[in-house]
Amino acid sequence: MPSFLKEFFKRNGVGMGSVMLGLVLFWTIGLIILPQLSMLDFSFRPNLPPPEIGGPKDVYTLENYKYLIYGPEGGSQDYNAVDLRVFFRTLVAAVCVTVFNLILCYPIAYYLAQTKGNHIRIFALMLIIPYWINEILRAFALRIIFGETGVLNNLLVGMGLFDTPFDFIRNDIALYAGLGYAYILLMIFPIYNVIESLDRNQIEAARDMGASWPMIHRRVVIPYAKPGISSGCTMVFMLSAGALAAPQILGGPSSLWFTQLIYQQFNDNSDWPQGAAYAVVLLVTCILLVLAIMRLFKVNMGDIGK
């Protein structure tokens, strides 16, 4: 038995350790790895009627992946411009949502971590309570707020800032705001958990030496909070790129999300192999982007797991 397992069972006991290990393995293998492998297998299969599945025509093929790049055979364009445009726009939008959340949440996380008092608990509770409501209901609430006759437009028109209501839905402002709001806690609390352990004496020492607040954050706080920042950015980016409810409810007519294409392939077109191929491409691309950014900023997987 490996030494880390011996230490694990020694700390938790054989019974409890076996239960915990079994649950982790069930979660990892049964609910993550096996479904993804099944999805990967589907992506290489042709779309056949049920009676022909498993027959001589049911062989592995790359056609589902070629469709994303080249579109249907005999199409009017050399490339599948529509789907590729939606794919890259989804990734860029997910990056923008992640950067927006980081800029918004870093000061909040720093304030929560470095300020003491009961009012901080109340502030944290006010952040958490809205997330007791289902994500779909929150998305519909945001649609009401950002609608042409919604609260925000009524306020702006009433203040005289706009003569006519502004279409926040069609301009994707509601969508990006909804995505940023949906995952704000996933950015705040990883950063908060790291900054909370930062010794305030380091900040005071930097201030005594004449460092400005921007320099203190750039040289002291941000390098120390890098694991929390990496963890928060990873979760927000992956979930934003894979979001479905917010784009469906808050997206305008021209803001098609790549997950909506996947949904259409699975449910509207009943083309599970094509939908699986699109899902695999999105998953692999997001993982490669995250790994590339981690390498660029010199962050390893152990930092994210802290």
Side-chain angles (χ1 to χ4, degrees):
M1 180 183 297
S3 59
F4 72 91
L5 282 180
K6 290 181 179 179
E7 182 64 24
F8 175 77
F9 284 120
K10 183 179 180 180
R11 287 200 314 266
N12 300 282
V14 177
M16 182 58 68
S18 299
V19 171
M20 293 171 61
L21 187 60
L23 290 174
V24 170
L25 290 175
F26 171 74
W27 174 270
T28 305
I29 298 175
L31 300 181
I32 298 177
I33 296 178
L34 291 181
Q36 296 300 329
L37 290 177
S38 177
M39 188 79 69
L40 182 64
D41 179 72
F42 260 114
S43 70
F44 290 105
R45 301 281 185 178
N47 187 29
L48 298 173
E52 297 184 16
I53 295 177
K57 294 183 180 180
D58 191 6
V59 295
Y60 286 117
T61 177
L62 293 175
E63 291 302 319
N64 297 317
Y65 292 95
K66 290 181 179 178
Y67 184 92
L68 173 61
I69 301 175
Y70 300 108
E73 293 185 5
S76 58
Q77 296 181 335
D78 294 334
Y79 294 95
N80 190 352
V82 174
D83 290 3
L84 288 174
R85 189 181 302 115
V86 172
F87 176 66
F88 288 112
R89 187 174 62 209
T90 299
L91 294 178
V92 172
V95 171
C96 292
V97 170
T98 303
V99 173
F100 168 76
N101 266 26
L102 177 60
I103 295 173
L104 175 66
C105 296
Y106 175 80
I108 298 175
Y110 178 81
Y111 178 75
L112 288 173
Q114 293 294 305
T115 307
K116 307 299 180 182
N118 290 331
H119 68 285
I120 294 300
R121 298 178 182 177
I122 297 174
F123 185 36
L125 190 62
M126 290 173 62
L127 288 172
I128 295 171
I129 285 178
Y131 291 86
W132 293 357
I133 302 172
N134 183 272
E135 179 183 357
I136 296 177
L137 295 179
R138 283 188 276 116
F140 276 112
L142 287 173
R143 187 174 182 88
I144 293 173
I145 292 173
F146 284 102
E148 290 190 15
T149 59
V151 176
L152 186 56
N153 265 315
N154 287 338
L155 181 62
L156 294 175
V157 173
M159 294 173 61
L161 298 177
F162 289 108
D163 296 328
T164 58
F166 183 79
D167 196 344
F168 291 100
I169 304 296
R170 185 176 294 273
N171 289 279
D172 295 335
I173 296 176
L175 173 58
Y176 296 145
L179 286 171
Y181 173 67
Y183 309 120
I184 190 172
L185 293 185
L186 297 178
M187 183 69 77
I188 289 178
F189 284 111
I191 301 175
Y192 162 80
N193 287 333
V194 178
I195 296 180
E196 189 182 30
S197 63
L198 175 63
D199 188 356
R200 288 187 59 87
N201 291 328
Q202 296 185 39
I203 299 176
E204 295 299 330
R207 292 183 64 184
D208 292 341
M209 295 177 66
S212 63
W213 275 112
M215 183 175 293
I216 290 173
H217 283 277
R218 183 165 57 90
R219 295 288 184 88
V220 178
V221 183
I222 292 178
Y224 188 85
K226 189 185 291 186
I229 294 173
S230 303
S231 178
C233 289
T234 298
M235 289 189 289
V236 171
F237 172 74
M238 297 293 283
L239 291 174
S240 297
L244 180 61
Q248 288 276 68
I249 298 170
L250 297 172
S254 61
S255 61
L256 191 63
W257 216 252
F258 196 68
T259 48
Q260 293 174 282
L261 295 182
I262 297 173
Y263 178 87
Q264 291 173 5
Q265 294 293 348
F266 274 108
N267 293 276
D268 299 341
N269 301 336
S270 297
D271 192 345
W272 282 48
Q274 189 66 64
Y278 276 29
V280 169
V281 169
L282 180 62
L283 174 63
V284 172
T285 304
C286 288
I287 291 175
L288 292 177
L289 278 175
V290 168
L291 293 177
I293 296 299
M294 288 170 57
R295 185 176 181 85
L296 177 65
F297 289 98
K298 299 179 180 179
V299 178
N300 56 48
M301 197 64 68
D303 291 334
I304 294 180
K306 286 184 180 179

